[in-house]
Amino acid sequence: MGGVTDREADSGVPAAAVPFDLASMRKQYRAEGLSETELAATPVEQFARWFQQAATDGGLFEPNAMVVSTADERGRPSSRTVLLKHFDEQGFVFYTNYDSRKARELDANRYVSLLFPWHPMARQVVVTGVARRTGRDETAAYFRTRPHGSQLGAWASVQSSVVADRRALDAAYAELAARYPEGEQVPVPPHWGGFRVVPEAVEFWQGRENRLHDRLRYVAEGGGGWRVERLSP
């Protein structure tokens, strides 16, 4: 019969418009998992272990790419992918325009989530915590390590604002490139800098067979210690 299925009616999208049978798309994950006895003493140490594997053997294009999720003062969330640029026991650091949507939301609501989606390894790391701006000296030190073009880009883009068209953006960049040619020091934009996410919980997710994944989460306790708990998949 040529009638519309309940599934089509519920979704509002004709079945012919979907190129794949999404319901049947799945992968069987690995047999070996992650046990409590294998964990490092702190989540940062454990992250360093997994990150090294992701960066060397994981087959990932950008292992330091992470999804940063924020929420505004009304609780409305937004997410985007940024690059992790430093991590240590003090937290996880990324840089951005302080006038961007994510920065404005972090000024209003400091709670943030970081997700490292290491799909080829069937792994995820989820960091939840509080974001604080880095100091200007730390920001300047990192800015000096950026390629010349990226330094100019930090000035050219009024991040998250509406721009007339691509030509306007390219024109702004060209003007800056003429003002600060290659080899000339580009000043650090006052509206640009870092955020350090101080973790309150860090979850390590290892995909397992039959969707019985391993989920081990470090939770911060008073005095600087960590409690480890296993979550049901």
Side-chain angles (χ1 to χ4, degrees), residues 43-167:
V44 172
E45 291 177 42
Q46 182 62 34
F47 181 83
R49 290 180 186 176
W50 271 23
F51 186 82
Q52 182 175 13
Q53 293 172 8
T56 56
D57 306 320
L60 294 155
F61 174 63
E62 287 183 317
N64 61 327
M66 60 184 183
V67 178
V68 177
S69 297
T70 57
D72 64 17
E73 68 279 359
R74 295 173 59 185
R76 295 173 298 187
S78 63
S79 299
R80 74 290 293 161
T81 302
V82 304
L83 298 179
L84 176 72
K85 287 302 177 181
H86 180 75
F87 70 90
D88 57 24
E89 294 294 341
Q90 304 306 311
F92 299 80
V93 178
F94 66 92
Y95 292 86
T96 188
N97 186 310
Y98 284 146
D99 294 327
S100 66
R101 177 177 179 177
K102 64 177 127 3
R104 294 196 307 269
E105 291 185 349
L106 287 172
D107 286 341
N109 178 359
R110 294 191 302 153
Y111 292 98
V112 62
S113 172
L114 312 177
L115 167 64
F116 295 86
W118 294 332
H119 301 308
M121 306 175 71
R123 286 178 174 176
Q124 300 181 79
V125 180
V126 182
V127 179
T128 53
V130 174
R132 299 187 175 93
R133 292 190 181 193
T134 58
R136 294 309 294 173
D137 289 345
E138 184 176 357
T139 291
Y142 169 70
F143 188 79
R144 298 285 172 238
T145 71
R146 288 166 63 94
H148 181 74
S150 296
Q151 293 181 3
L152 296 178
W155 280 100
S157 172
V158 184
Q159 197 173 89
S160 300
S161 66
V162 176
V163 62
D165 52 34
R166 178 71 199 198
R167 287 180 298 177

Side-chain angles (χ1 to χ4, degrees), residues 5-59:
T5 66
D6 290 341
R7 196 167 169 186
E8 289 174 319
D10 290 343
S11 67
V13 178
V18 181
F20 301 102
D21 181 3
L22 298 179
S24 67
M25 293 180 69
R26 60 177 57 86
K27 297 288 187 181
Q28 184 67 283
Y29 295 142
R30 57 202 286 175
E32 65 273 19
L34 179 66
S35 70
E36 288 83 347
T37 59
E38 297 172 341
L39 289 179
T42 71
V44 172
E45 291 177 42
Q46 182 62 34
F47 181 83
R49 290 180 186 176
W50 271 23
F51 186 82
Q52 182 175 13
Q53 293 172 8
T56 56
D57 306 320

